[in-house]
Amino acid sequence: MFMNLNEQISRIKEVMGLSLLSEQTSNPTITDNGFVGTYVGPEFNSQGDIAHQFSNTASNLIGKKLKELYNRGEYSKVDFDNIEMTTKGMGSGNVEYYLKIPFVRVNDKCDAYTSFDHRGGWGHGEGKKKQDAIRELGSLPVKGTELDISDVKKTDEGLVEYWVQWKNPDYQSECGSSDNVKNINISENNSSELRNKLKGIGIKYDINVEIGNGINISYKETGDKKQSLSYIYSNAGEKKAVLEKVKEKNDISKEIPYDVGNVEGYIIVINR
């Protein structure tokens, strides 16, 4: 098997008795606002892809900090959109790898994350590494929740990374509980706006609707029964005919008569 240039340089230096480890420098810094640091040193050595291991350093520090912030009630997650990642010198035998991974605060503790990792590689892995992350890390989040995986991050020289965060069961077990019920109330005097508001809730689980002082809706963020909401209506007094047409294309589990002014209609719960 032929060695690439970086491996050849590393092998020559080792034969000459030069320690590659002694040539490495890095200055990782972790604060309440995130991680920043630069690795300078060999790209490869006898340990393998040594420069890429700086991503491991970042992941370990970030995972610990997210847990620390969670315990202090400063609920946080990694801000994927503002990650900065650059490399210089790939292919020369010596590389500079700069990495900045910021945090963002969230209001709800179940919107926070408490574990962090990555999957990637030099000049390869786009797409495949995301599947590796799902396969290797997918069983780790709190039951009923999923991995949060960044879009692919690439440097101009070809370093590929997928950054991954999730809810650690040792810290956020209640966030996947079937008892994690949320409640909202909607009041609307315009039929089309009511439909938009109900659709805007998105796909949830075990949706329940009660009519009282406005429309009282409860749902779960996790579960097995995916559902969504909408409002169908008729200005011509044909709400039943409209409902039947909707039923032809959708699995409707609940239909609640609800009129907005002179407009007759139904609030519907759709099984997904």
Side-chain angles (χ1 to χ4, degrees), residues 164-191:
V164 189
Q165 56 188 348
W166 66 92
K167 303 183 198 309
N168 188 306
D170 292 337
Y171 291 79
Q172 296 177 272
S173 59
E174 72 276 16
C175 294
S177 169
S178 60
D179 296 327
N180 184 29
V181 177
K182 294 195 175 183
N183 299 279
I184 59 173
N185 179 273
I186 293 177
S187 180
E188 183 56 61
N189 296 319
N190 181 284
S191 54

Short mmCIF file of all heavy atoms in Angstrom, two decimals, residues 164-191:
data_model
loop_
_atom_site.label_atom_id
_atom_site.label_comp_id
_atom_site.label_asym_id
_atom_site.label_seq_id
_atom_site.Cartn_x
_atom_site.Cartn_y
_atom_site.Cartn_z
N VAL A 164 -22.67 16.79 16.45
CA VAL A 164 -23.86 16.10 16.95
C VAL A 164 -24.08 16.44 18.43
O VAL A 164 -23.14 16.39 19.23
CB VAL A 164 -23.71 14.57 16.81
CG1 VAL A 164 -25.03 13.87 17.13
CG2 VAL A 164 -23.22 14.19 15.41
N GLN A 165 -25.33 16.78 18.78
CA GLN A 165 -25.66 17.00 20.19
C GLN A 165 -26.95 16.23 20.51
O GLN A 165 -27.77 15.97 19.63
CB GLN A 165 -25.81 18.49 20.50
CG GLN A 165 -26.81 19.24 19.66
CD GLN A 165 -26.74 20.76 19.91
OE1 GLN A 165 -26.11 21.25 20.84
NE2 GLN A 165 -27.42 21.51 19.06
N TRP A 166 -27.10 15.88 21.79
CA TRP A 166 -28.29 15.13 22.18
C TRP A 166 -28.56 15.30 23.67
O TRP A 166 -27.73 15.81 24.43
CB TRP A 166 -28.16 13.65 21.81
CG TRP A 166 -27.10 12.87 22.54
CD1 TRP A 166 -27.25 12.14 23.69
CD2 TRP A 166 -25.73 12.70 22.15
NE1 TRP A 166 -26.07 11.55 24.03
CE2 TRP A 166 -25.13 11.86 23.11
CE3 TRP A 166 -24.96 13.17 21.07
CZ2 TRP A 166 -23.78 11.50 23.04
CZ3 TRP A 166 -23.62 12.80 20.99
CH2 TRP A 166 -23.05 11.98 21.97
N LYS A 167 -29.73 14.85 24.08
CA LYS A 167 -30.15 14.92 25.48
C LYS A 167 -29.65 13.66 26.20
O LYS A 167 -30.05 12.56 25.86
CB LYS A 167 -31.67 15.05 25.58
CG LYS A 167 -32.23 16.24 24.83
CD LYS A 167 -33.72 16.37 25.00
CE LYS A 167 -34.33 17.27 23.93
NZ LYS A 167 -33.67 18.57 23.78
N ASN A 168 -28.79 13.87 27.18
CA ASN A 168 -28.20 12.76 27.92
C ASN A 168 -29.20 12.23 28.96
O ASN A 168 -29.71 13.00 29.77
CB ASN A 168 -26.92 13.25 28.60
CG ASN A 168 -26.13 12.13 29.24
OD1 ASN A 168 -26.65 11.37 30.04
ND2 ASN A 168 -24.86 12.03 28.87
N PRO A 169 -29.48 10.92 28.97
CA PRO A 169 -30.47 10.36 29.90
C PRO A 169 -30.13 10.60 31.36
O PRO A 169 -31.04 10.65 32.21
CB PRO A 169 -30.47 8.86 29.57
CG PRO A 169 -29.95 8.78 28.18
CD PRO A 169 -28.96 9.90 28.03
N ASP A 170 -28.85 10.73 31.69
CA ASP A 170 -28.46 10.96 33.08
C ASP A 170 -28.82 12.37 33.56
O ASP A 170 -28.80 12.65 34.76
CB ASP A 170 -26.96 10.74 33.26
CG ASP A 170 -26.57 9.28 33.07
OD1 ASP A 170 -27.44 8.41 33.24
OD2 ASP A 170 -25.40 9.01 32.75
N TYR A 171 -29.12 13.27 32.62
CA TYR A 171 -29.41 14.66 32.96
C TYR A 171 -30.82 15.09 32.55
O TYR A 171 -31.43 15.93 33.21
CB TYR A 171 -28.40 15.59 32.28
CG TYR A 171 -27.00 15.47 32.83
CD1 TYR A 171 -26.17 14.42 32.44
CD2 TYR A 171 -26.52 16.37 33.77
CE1 TYR A 171 -24.89 14.28 32.96
CE2 TYR A 171 -25.24 16.24 34.29
CZ TYR A 171 -24.43 15.19 33.88
OH TYR A 171 -23.17 15.05 34.41
N GLN A 172 -31.35 14.54 31.47
CA GLN A 172 -32.60 15.05 30.90
C GLN A 172 -33.64 13.95 30.68
O GLN A 172 -34.42 14.01 29.73
CB GLN A 172 -32.32 15.76 29.57
CG GLN A 172 -31.44 17.00 29.70
CD GLN A 172 -31.13 17.61 28.36
OE1 GLN A 172 -30.15 17.24 27.71
NE2 GLN A 172 -31.94 18.57 27.93
N SER A 173 -33.68 12.98 31.56
CA SER A 173 -34.59 11.85 31.36
C SER A 173 -36.05 12.29 31.29
O SER A 173 -36.85 11.70 30.57
CB SER A 173 -34.41 10.82 32.48
OG SER A 173 -34.66 11.42 33.75
N GLU A 174 -36.40 13.35 32.02
CA GLU A 174 -37.80 13.80 32.03
C GLU A 174 -38.22 14.39 30.70
O GLU A 174 -39.42 14.52 30.40
CB GLU A 174 -38.03 14.82 33.14
CG GLU A 174 -37.42 16.20 32.92
CD GLU A 174 -35.95 16.31 33.32
OE1 GLU A 174 -35.31 15.25 33.49
OE2 GLU A 174 -35.46 17.43 33.46
N CYS A 175 -37.26 14.76 29.86
CA CYS A 175 -37.59 15.39 28.59
C CYS A 175 -38.11 14.40 27.56
O CYS A 175 -38.65 14.80 26.53
CB CYS A 175 -36.36 16.12 28.03
SG CYS A 175 -35.84 17.52 29.05
N GLY A 176 -37.96 13.12 27.83
CA GLY A 176 -38.52 12.13 26.93
C GLY A 176 -39.70 11.42 27.54
O GLY A 176 -40.23 10.47 26.97
N SER A 177 -40.12 11.86 28.70
CA SER A 177 -41.21 11.21 29.41
C SER A 177 -42.53 11.39 28.69
O SER A 177 -42.82 12.44 28.13
CB SER A 177 -41.32 11.78 30.83
OG SER A 177 -42.52 11.35 31.45
N SER A 178 -43.33 10.36 28.73
CA SER A 178 -44.67 10.44 28.12
C SER A 178 -45.56 11.41 28.89
O SER A 178 -46.63 11.77 28.43
CB SER A 178 -45.32 9.06 28.10
OG SER A 178 -45.45 8.54 29.42
N ASP A 179 -45.11 11.80 30.08
CA ASP A 179 -45.89 12.76 30.88
C ASP A 179 -45.54 14.21 30.56
O ASP A 179 -46.06 15.13 31.18
CB ASP A 179 -45.66 12.52 32.37
CG ASP A 179 -46.16 11.15 32.80
OD1 ASP A 179 -47.15 10.69 32.22
OD2 ASP A 179 -45.54 10.55 33.70
N ASN A 180 -44.65 14.40 29.60
CA ASN A 180 -44.21 15.75 29.24
C ASN A 180 -45.27 16.41 28.35
O ASN A 180 -45.12 16.53 27.14
CB ASN A 180 -42.86 15.68 28.53
CG ASN A 180 -42.30 17.05 28.22
OD1 ASN A 180 -42.57 18.01 28.93
ND2 ASN A 180 -41.53 17.15 27.15
N VAL A 181 -46.35 16.84 28.96
CA VAL A 181 -47.50 17.40 28.23
C VAL A 181 -47.40 18.92 28.19
O VAL A 181 -47.09 19.56 29.20
CB VAL A 181 -48.83 16.98 28.89
CG1 VAL A 181 -50.01 17.63 28.18
CG2 VAL A 181 -48.96 15.47 28.88
N LYS A 182 -47.64 19.50 27.03
CA LYS A 182 -47.65 20.95 26.88
C LYS A 182 -49.07 21.41 26.54
O LYS A 182 -49.83 20.70 25.88
CB LYS A 182 -46.67 21.38 25.80
CG LYS A 182 -45.23 21.12 26.17
CD LYS A 182 -44.26 21.86 25.28
CE LYS A 182 -42.83 21.67 25.77
NZ LYS A 182 -41.85 22.45 24.96
N ASN A 183 -49.39 22.61 27.00
CA ASN A 183 -50.73 23.16 26.80
C ASN A 183 -50.65 24.54 26.16
O ASN A 183 -49.79 25.34 26.53
CB ASN A 183 -51.48 23.26 28.13
CG ASN A 183 -51.66 21.92 28.80
OD1 ASN A 183 -52.56 21.16 28.46
ND2 ASN A 183 -50.80 21.62 29.77
N ILE A 184 -51.55 24.81 25.22
CA ILE A 184 -51.65 26.14 24.63
C ILE A 184 -53.11 26.49 24.46
O ILE A 184 -53.99 25.62 24.42
CB ILE A 184 -50.93 26.23 23.28
CG1 ILE A 184 -51.51 25.22 22.29
CG2 ILE A 184 -49.45 26.03 23.42
CD1 ILE A 184 -50.95 25.37 20.89
N ASN A 185 -53.40 27.77 24.38
CA ASN A 185 -54.76 28.25 24.17
C ASN A 185 -54.77 29.19 22.97
O ASN A 185 -53.90 30.06 22.84
CB ASN A 185 -55.27 28.99 25.42
CG ASN A 185 -56.67 29.54 25.23
OD1 ASN A 185 -56.85 30.65 24.74
ND2 ASN A 185 -57.67 28.77 25.62
N ILE A 186 -55.73 28.97 22.08
CA ILE A 186 -55.83 29.79 20.87
C ILE A 186 -57.21 30.43 20.81
O ILE A 186 -58.23 29.77 21.03
CB ILE A 186 -55.60 28.94 19.61
CG1 ILE A 186 -54.15 28.47 19.55
CG2 ILE A 186 -55.95 29.73 18.35
CD1 ILE A 186 -53.85 27.58 18.37
N SER A 187 -57.23 31.71 20.52
CA SER A 187 -58.48 32.44 20.29
C SER A 187 -58.32 33.23 19.01
O SER A 187 -57.38 34.01 18.87
CB SER A 187 -58.78 33.36 21.47
OG SER A 187 -59.98 34.06 21.24
N GLU A 188 -59.23 33.01 18.04
CA GLU A 188 -59.10 33.65 16.75
C GLU A 188 -60.47 33.92 16.14
O GLU A 188 -61.34 33.05 16.15
CB GLU A 188 -58.27 32.77 15.82
CG GLU A 188 -58.00 33.36 14.45
CD GLU A 188 -57.33 34.71 14.51
OE1 GLU A 188 -56.20 34.79 15.04
OE2 GLU A 188 -57.95 35.68 14.03
N ASN A 189 -60.68 35.13 15.61
CA ASN A 189 -61.96 35.51 15.02
C ASN A 189 -61.95 35.47 13.49
O ASN A 189 -62.91 35.89 12.85
CB ASN A 189 -62.35 36.93 15.47
CG ASN A 189 -62.58 37.00 16.97
OD1 ASN A 189 -63.18 36.08 17.54
ND2 ASN A 189 -62.10 38.06 17.60
N ASN A 190 -60.88 34.96 12.93
CA ASN A 190 -60.77 34.86 11.48
C ASN A 190 -60.51 33.41 11.12
O ASN A 190 -59.57 32.80 11.62
CB ASN A 190 -59.64 35.76 10.97
CG ASN A 190 -59.48 35.71 9.47
OD1 ASN A 190 -58.96 34.74 8.94
ND2 ASN A 190 -59.92 36.76 8.80
N SER A 191 -61.35 32.83 10.26
CA SER A 191 -61.28 31.39 9.97
C SER A 191 -59.96 31.00 9.32
O SER A 191 -59.38 29.97 9.67
CB SER A 191 -62.46 30.98 9.09
OG SER A 191 -62.52 31.78 7.93
#
